[in-house]
Amino acid sequence: MITSESHFIEKEGYNLHLRRFFTPDAKASIFLLHGSIEDGRIFYSKSGKGLAPFLAQNGYDVFVADLRGKGKSTPNISPESDFGQKEAIMEDMPAFMDYINQKTGKKPEYMMAHSWGGVIILSYLARFKHENLKAQAFFGSKRDVKVQNIYRWFNIDLLWNKMGTYLVHKHGYLPATKYNIGSDNEAKHFYLQVNNWVYSDEWIDSFDGFNYAEALQKQKIAPTLHLTGAKDTHSGHPKDVKRLMVEIGNQEDHHFQVIGKKYGHKHNYNHINLLTHPDAPIDHFQEVLQWLKKHY
């Protein structure tokens, strides 16, 4: 029987939410992080389906984060939300890690992410020591977008960049839910910083000049499984996902896999249903499980 419960980390001026899924015999812990314009619900549904319950059912102690202002983290994102990626990387990620350490006796042994969540996790690892991390799995995570096709021009260049920038300056934040361009809203500074990296050749912090790619290449990143859907046309295109794997270095420890019929899977998945499709647990989630067992 899976237990699901909410935990709140109280900080000055805001609260961070963690959703925990576990069984009485749960052992190793896994930290899951969502991407931009979404929250932790990408990993679980109200009916108890999704990657988080799947991992818990297979014996893992699973913690799903809501970044500041997202999901059940409060206060909700608004024009007054004066924070961005820097706070997510430098403050919120360490707070999540410390809390899990307090609950389980150690920091998470595994990490997983959807989309931009992979960039946030890697950025955190570039700056902070995380001794017991055994392996990672990223779903559709890319750092920049170089693929050129009609889907990218419309969805990234026009909707995300042009329309998104306009809406941010008009409202003081990105009201993604109001305009049906995402499942959660985005703080102004976070959006602008993400947009900068999406179009930049260099992975450098705009606040202090920290070079994330350089820092990651100098350390041994835990073996990482980079998955993306065969029908992911722009948000996590295979070419862009594979380039992130190259950018962090130590490729011999990492594995890249497109999830689609051509590669023996049941469906050609896209950026979202790579995690939410009802067949995912009996399809590629099994490969994720094997990756974890390989790096136990």
Side-chain angles (χ1 to χ4, degrees):
M1 182 68 178
I2 297 176
T3 298
S4 173
E5 57 190 29
S6 284
H7 295 250
F8 293 91
I9 306 170
E10 296 183 5
K11 309 296 287 185
E12 186 175 353
Y14 65 98
N15 291 318
L16 295 174
H17 174 245
L18 274 172
R19 190 72 178 174
R20 187 181 188 183
F21 298 83
F22 63 100
T23 59
D25 59 346
K27 296 178 181 178
S29 61
I30 304 180
F31 174 78
L32 273 59
L33 187 65
H34 62 82
S36 181
I37 56 175
E38 64 183 23
D39 55 41
R41 289 171 296 180
I42 189 71
F43 298 112
Y44 60 91
S45 67
K46 291 182 179 179
S47 60
K49 297 179 181 179
L51 180 62
F54 169 82
L55 293 170
Q57 191 67 56
N58 282 279
Y60 293 93
D61 192 357
V62 185
F63 293 86
V64 182
D66 282 331
L67 285 173
R68 196 179 308 195
K70 299 298 195 71
K72 292 185 178 180
S73 292
T74 57
N76 294 331
I77 288 171
S78 71
E80 286 70 49
S81 299
D82 189 25
F83 54 83
Q85 286 194 136
K86 178 173 72 73
E87 286 76 15
I89 296 164
M90 303 292 289
E91 299 175 19
D92 297 351
M93 281 295 296
F96 287 131
M97 299 301 107
D98 289 344
Y99 187 85
I100 295 170
N101 187 23
Q102 292 171 17
K103 288 293 179 182
T104 67
K106 61 177 70 174
K107 292 179 181 178
E109 295 169 81
Y110 303 95
M111 292 204 205
M112 296 186 184
H114 180 237
S115 198
W116 201 257
V119 178
I120 298 298
I121 286 178
L122 289 169
S123 298
Y124 157 79
L125 293 173
R127 287 186 180 264
F128 295 91
K129 200 171 183 181
H130 195 109
E131 303 88 348
N132 63 311
L133 188 60
K134 295 179 179 178
Q136 302 182 112
F138 295 158
F139 297 78
S141 293
K142 83 291 180 188
R143 199 275 301 168
D144 55 1
V145 179
K146 300 295 186 188
V147 66
Q148 295 292 336
N149 58 37
I150 192 170
Y151 304 103
R152 174 249 165 86
W153 302 331
F154 181 76
N155 291 284
I156 302 297
D157 295 337
L158 180 60
L159 293 184
W160 168 261
N161 181 27
K162 298 297 184 183
M163 180 180 174
T165 300
Y166 168 76
L167 292 174
V168 160
H169 290 300
K170 177 182 179 181
H171 296 281
Y173 71 108
L174 181 60
T177 58
K178 178 179 179 180
Y179 292 92
N180 295 316
I181 56 175
S183 58
D184 210 328
N185 300 322
E186 203 66 85
K188 175 181 179 179
H189 298 306
F190 195 101
Y191 164 81
L192 293 174
Q193 290 154 14
V194 169
N195 202 35
N196 178 53
W197 280 358
V198 163
Y199 283 96
S200 178
D201 290 331
E202 297 182 306
W203 191 353
I204 294 177
D205 199 296
S206 58
F207 286 91
D208 60 7
F210 185 85
N211 190 316
Y212 291 96
E214 186 177 90
L216 289 166
Q217 289 166 13
K218 289 180 179 178
Q219 60 176 282
K220 190 173 179 61
I221 298 298
T224 304
L225 179 62
H226 297 260
L227 302 174
T228 194
K231 286 185 68 177
D232 196 330
T233 56
H234 56 282
S235 295
H237 190 279
K239 290 182 178 179
D240 293 329
V241 169
K242 192 168 188 178
R243 194 172 51 260
L244 173 62
M245 185 178 78
V246 173
E247 191 170 27
I248 65 178
N250 301 310
Q251 294 178 58
E252 65 276 6
D253 294 329
H254 309 311
H255 181 68
F256 170 77
Q257 179 65 57
V258 176
I259 308 301
K261 292 182 179 179
K262 179 180 178 181
Y263 306 97
H265 302 99
K266 292 181 175 296
H267 308 280
N268 290 322
Y269 297 89
N270 61 36
H271 194 62
I272 300 300
N273 72 12
L274 184 65
L275 281 170
T276 63
H277 198 288
D279 284 339
I282 59 172
D283 202 1
H284 54 286
F285 282 5
Q286 295 297 322
E287 296 178 35
V288 175
L289 203 59
Q290 289 305 311
W291 182 257
L292 294 176
K293 292 178 178 177
K294 179 181 178 181
H295 299 284
Y296 183 70

